[in-house]
């Protein structure tokens, strides 16, 4: 037997609380419904109701950059469940070297918001984009008017920069993400593919600094879920930066005391996010946030071979994480869906 197969169930006997519905209605600020124009949203709403999810933010509103996709998404939402979904738009950086790109993209943002988009999502492929052999930095001056326009229109920018730092490190026995890189070898990066991790993250922070009037949601705890003290210094430095917990709940679940202190101190700046749409995986999020359970497994071993512990967050912190902070930042969400 090799290490990858070694995964014995724990013999520890402690209280267990399997939570299938959040204590309060919540907003998932980080989700993807890639076929929103054509899918049956009633099925999604039924699953949302079981979880107590009142609003889902679909970050993939434009699909592959098509206005037709955005219009179809918004029409399907309006027809099926107008209060239950928020749609973000996307931009196309691949054509940034073409003449007039900045002006066209700013105009696109204006039009998309007029159509009904309520935010902008920037993918990691865009923060690590290489076009014709040249890397495009996310703080490229040609994109500055886009960020400024988002601030002017009052919509947030949810931005995913880089990936976990171990993806840039040697794939050996010292790498905490060894199993994930073996299972998903395409996630391996290096200082030349496309640039050092610190450089990409630094460009993102420069963006926050250059555009203080624009609200940014730093996806996945900004990849500092394993260093919450550092994330706290960023929160202090950039008051226009919020963050969310999508796909990094396992980082919080292994440091319950530190994580609870962090989420309590920065309770006005952190939002609930999940990322991939798999309803049963939300149960682990609820259990970590709401209970004081000990030593329970995460649902993807290649993400976290360690065990989880509950944070047992206070009710007011939970409310802010679940919905109050998102209501402050994302426009046009129906506040009557949530308690005060």
């Amino acid at each position: 037997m090799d290490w990858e197969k070694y995964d014995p169930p724990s013999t520890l006997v402690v209280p267990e609380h399997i939570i299938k519905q959040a204590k309060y209605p919540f907003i998932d600020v980080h989700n993807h419904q890639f076929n929103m124009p054509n899918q049956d949203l009633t099925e999604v709403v039924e699953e949302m109701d079981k979880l107590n999810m009142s609003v889902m933010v679909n970050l993939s509103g434009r699909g592959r950059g098509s206005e037709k996709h955005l219009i179809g998404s918004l029409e399907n939402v309006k027809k099926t469940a107008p209060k239950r979904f928020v749609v973000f738009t996307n931009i196309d950086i691949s054509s940034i070297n073409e003449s007039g790109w900045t002006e066209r993209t700013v105009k696109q943002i204006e039009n998309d918001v007029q159509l009904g988009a309520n935010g902008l999502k920037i993918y990691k492929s865009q923060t690590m984009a290489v076009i014709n052999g040249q890397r495009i930095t996310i703080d490229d001056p040609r994109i500055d008017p886009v960020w400024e326009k988002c601030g002017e229109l009052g919509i947030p920018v949810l931005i995913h920069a880089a990936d976990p730092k171990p993806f840039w490190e040697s794939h050996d026995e010292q790498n905490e993400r060894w199993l994930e890189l073996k299972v998903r070898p395409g996630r391996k990066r290096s200082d030349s593919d496309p640039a050092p991790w610190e450089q990409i993250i630094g460009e993102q922070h420069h963006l926050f600094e250059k555009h203080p009037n624009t609200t940014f949601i730093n996806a996945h705890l900004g990849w500092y879920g394993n260093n919450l003290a550092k994330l706290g210094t960023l929160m202090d430095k950039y008051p226009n930066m919020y963050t969310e917990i999508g796909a990094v709940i396992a980082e919080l679940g292994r440091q319950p005391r530190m994580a609870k202190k962090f989420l309590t101190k920065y309770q006005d700046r952190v939002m609930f996010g999940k990322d991939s749409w798999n309803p049963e995986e939300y149960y682990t999020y609820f259990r970590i946030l709401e209970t004081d359970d000990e030593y329970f497994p995460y649902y993807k071993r290649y993400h976290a071979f360690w065990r989880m512990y509950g944070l047992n967050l206070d009710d007011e912190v939970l409310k802010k994480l679940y919905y109050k902070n998102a209501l402050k930042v994302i426009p046009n969400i129906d506040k009557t869906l949530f308690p005060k």
Side-chain angles (χ1 to χ4, degrees):
M1 180 180 67
D2 58 24
W3 179 80
E4 297 162 65
K5 293 181 180 177
Y6 182 70
D7 190 22
S10 173
T11 61
L12 188 66
V13 180
V14 288
E16 295 185 5
H17 303 87
I18 308 303
I19 300 180
K20 298 184 177 182
Q21 186 175 86
K23 187 174 184 178
Y24 298 105
F26 70 97
I27 300 168
D28 185 345
V29 305
H30 191 144
N31 213 292
H32 298 279
Q33 299 295 324
F34 295 103
N35 192 32
M36 185 170 256
N38 304 309
Q39 71 189 102
D40 183 357
L41 292 178
T42 59
E43 296 178 358
V44 180
V45 171
E46 288 173 3
E47 294 296 329
M48 291 167 60
D49 288 341
K50 294 175 186 176
L51 298 169
N52 203 17
M53 184 195 301
S54 288
V55 175
M56 175 191 287
V57 178
N58 178 21
L59 300 178
S60 307
R62 260 190 170 252
R64 295 184 179 274
S66 161
E67 181 183 87
K68 181 180 178 181
H69 189 100
L70 177 65
I71 292 173
S73 296
L74 293 166
E75 287 179 347
N76 197 9
V77 167
K78 185 176 181 180
K79 176 182 67 176
T80 309
K83 295 183 177 183
R84 304 299 299 277
F85 295 95
V86 168
V87 178
F88 276 29
T89 189
N90 314 106
I91 60 174
D92 180 11
I93 289 180
S94 67
S95 56
I96 192 171
N97 292 325
E98 296 177 6
S99 176
W101 179 90
T102 299
E103 294 75 16
R104 289 195 304 273
T105 305
V106 168
K107 185 64 176 176
Q108 179 218 303
I109 294 292
E110 291 178 328
N111 291 341
D112 290 354
V113 170
Q114 192 170 22
L115 288 171
N118 286 298
L120 171 65
K121 164 66 192 300
I122 300 298
Y123 295 102
K124 67 178 178 181
S125 60
Q126 296 173 314
T127 63
M128 297 191 283
V130 177
I131 301 171
N132 297 328
Q134 178 186 8
R135 181 163 172 264
I136 305 299
T137 66
I138 199 63
D139 59 348
D140 188 305
R142 292 173 291 182
I143 318 177
D144 283 342
V146 175
W147 316 130
E148 288 297 311
K149 178 57 66 174
C150 290
E152 178 188 321
L153 295 172
I155 62 168
V157 178
L158 193 148
I159 180 169
H160 176 162
D163 259 335
K165 191 174 186 293
F167 290 1
W168 273 255
E169 297 170 352
S170 298
H171 188 197
D172 58 22
E173 72 277 6
Q174 299 296 311
N175 193 317
E176 196 171 47
R177 299 267 183 167
W178 180 88
L179 181 57
E180 181 172 1
L181 290 173
K182 181 172 184 183
V183 175
R184 300 285 190 273
R187 296 180 180 179
K188 183 72 177 72
R189 295 286 182 171
S190 71
D191 285 355
S192 59
D193 179 20
W197 184 86
E198 292 84 357
Q199 178 181 331
I200 299 168
I201 294 296
E203 291 163 359
Q204 183 200 51
H205 298 165
H206 185 215
L207 197 65
F208 303 155
E209 187 174 22
K210 279 205 298 182
H211 304 282
N213 296 320
T214 301
T215 298
F216 293 91
I217 304 172
N218 194 349
H220 310 299
L221 292 176
W223 301 122
Y224 279 109
N226 60 335
N227 189 350
L228 294 177
K230 173 65 176 179
L231 182 56
T233 65
L234 297 173
M235 292 291 219
D236 296 338
K237 186 175 182 179
Y238 306 117
N240 59 325
M241 184 194 89
Y242 290 72
T243 192
E244 51 88 16
I245 62 173
V248 288
I249 192 70
E251 296 288 3
L252 302 179
R254 64 169 167 170
Q255 50 176 332
R257 290 182 289 275
M258 181 69 178
K260 183 170 184 175
K261 288 178 183 177
F262 175 85
L263 291 175
T264 300
K265 181 176 181 180
Y266 296 101
Q267 59 186 272
D268 297 315
R269 306 274 294 283
V270 186
M271 306 177 201
F272 185 97
K274 169 65 176 63
D275 202 350
S276 60
W277 174 236
N278 188 326
E280 290 187 359
E281 293 177 354
Y282 285 82
Y283 306 165
T284 300
Y285 279 70
F286 304 153
R287 191 176 182 186
I288 290 172
L289 297 173
E290 298 183 21
T291 80
D292 59 0
D293 284 3
E294 298 182 282
Y295 202 77
F296 54 92
Y298 187 64
Y299 51 80
K300 284 183 180 177
R301 186 167 179 266
Y302 70 81
H303 269 176
F305 55 84
W306 54 83
R307 294 297 193 254
M308 303 292 106
Y309 297 82
L311 277 56
N312 194 24
L313 293 175
D314 297 339
D315 280 0
E316 187 57 27
V317 177
L318 269 180
K319 289 177 183 177
K320 289 178 179 179
L321 179 69
Y322 276 154
Y323 65 91
K324 286 188 175 183
N325 293 338
L327 288 176
K328 283 192 308 182
V329 170
I330 302 173
N332 301 316
I333 299 178
D334 188 346
K335 292 181 173 61
T336 65
L337 297 173
F338 304 91
K340 293 184 179 179

